[in-house]
Every structure is written in C-alpha cells, then in structure tokens.
Amino acid sequence: MKNSLNKYFGYMDSPIGTLKISASEKGITTIDFVESINEENNENPVIRKAKDELELYFIGKLINFKVKLDLSGTEFQMRVWNELMKIKYGKTITYGEISENLGYGKKASRAVGLANNKNKIPIIIPCHRVIGINKKLVGYAGGIDKKRYLLQIEQNVLN
C-alpha cells in the first residue's frame, strides 16, 4: 500500500530528542529522530494532533494514540505493524511471539525483525515494545537509550 505524499511536516522537541513528524492529508507518514531543525514547520491538523498526543504520552498522560496514520509498506510489513499496535501499553513482546501471533510459528522471527526495523512511525507504532528472545533490549532506530526511556515512561505510569 502506498501512502500519500508527505506534504506537511513539523518538528517537536521531546525528552528523547528532536522529532520530525511528516504527514499527508490522510495521516502521519513518518516520525524521524533528527539532530536539528533545518526548515520551518509546514504543519497540518494531523501533525498538530500528533504533537499534542506525543506531548501527553511523554508526560505519562496518554496510553492510546488516536491520530490517523497513512502507512506505506509491503503486505507483510503492514501485518507486522498492525500487530505492533496491539501490544498493550507497558508490555513487551519478542519477535518470535509476533511471528507466532501472525500464524508463522517462530520461523518468521527474522522477517518480523526486518519489518519492525522498517516501521516509519516509531512511538505511535510501538516498536520499542519489541525485545529479543533473551528478554533484552535490542535494536531501535533512535538507539537503545531511547527505547529504554520509552519503556520506562510506560512502566512509571503503570506502577
């Protein structure tokens, strides 16, 4: 499925660094970790809603995102990303468990990991909740420190 063109974007300072949020008319298309802001915001209502929801998430006041998404990926990636969105707030799951949930047994664990790595909308599609088979934190586009921070936010809210 192809997403619409990234016509809009906005930057947001967050506890894990600067985020660049891009969107089409339909929904959020990407969230990128960036080093600096190099252009003026060109926001639409979808980006403003995403920023509002992310701000609430970072202070522990939002558990479920409602902002619309405009996803683009292969059929398999879309299945994996939809499965990621089912992971409960504050919980973690392994690549193998996702593979099993999708009906592949554990044989597609590596493919699930690759699809997880292609997730263009981190935080909202909670790929940070996926851990290695040994229950250790592995791989995250923004770095393990950011993954740990996001999981800690969720644990603090639940405790």
Side-chain angles (χ1 to χ4, degrees):
M1 297 177 97
K2 280 275 194 206
N3 67 338
S4 305
L5 212 44
N6 294 341
K7 294 167 83 173
Y8 306 97
F9 57 88
Y11 292 90
M12 174 183 175
D13 287 325
S14 81
I16 58 173
T18 304
L19 303 175
K20 181 180 181 182
I21 305 164
S22 300
S24 67
E25 294 284 346
K26 296 178 184 177
I28 300 300
T29 55
T30 62
I31 296 178
D32 295 303
F33 299 102
V34 296
E35 293 297 317
S36 61
I37 298 171
N38 55 11
E39 54 197 336
E40 197 170 313
N41 288 342
N42 177 28
E43 296 182 0
N44 67 356
V46 175
I47 289 176
R48 285 189 286 282
K49 181 173 177 67
K51 288 170 76 171
D52 290 345
E53 288 187 1
L54 285 163
E55 284 180 14
L56 291 172
Y57 170 84
F58 284 121
I59 62 171
K61 302 281 185 198
L62 182 100
I63 291 175
N64 297 307
F65 289 95
K66 303 276 192 254
V67 66
K68 291 184 189 303
L69 306 179
D70 186 4
L71 299 173
S72 173
T74 67
E75 183 180 332
F76 181 77
Q77 288 170 339
M78 301 290 268
R79 289 187 69 210
V80 170
W81 300 336
N82 283 321
E83 196 65 28
L84 293 177
M85 289 188 275
K86 295 177 186 175
I87 305 170
K88 300 237 184 271
Y89 183 91
K91 302 294 181 191
T92 57
I93 189 171
T94 66
Y95 298 104
E97 290 169 320
I98 292 172
S99 181
E100 287 178 339
N101 291 348
L102 292 172
Y104 297 108
K106 290 192 178 180
K107 67 183 179 190
S109 297
R110 185 182 285 304
V112 165
L114 292 172
N116 195 45
N117 186 11
K118 298 290 185 196
N119 172 23
K120 297 177 194 116
I121 310 176
I123 308 166
I124 295 174
I125 298 178
C127 53
H128 62 277
R129 296 180 188 151
V130 183
I131 58 175
I133 193 165
N134 56 7
K135 305 294 183 192
K136 291 192 177 180
L137 300 184
V138 294
Y140 191 66
I144 296 296
D145 57 326
K146 289 176 174 62
K147 182 173 192 160
R148 184 177 295 113
Y149 187 90
L150 296 170
L151 291 171
Q152 191 62 54
I153 289 171
E154 296 176 12
Q155 285 305 307
N156 289 344
V157 169
L158 294 176
N159 294 328

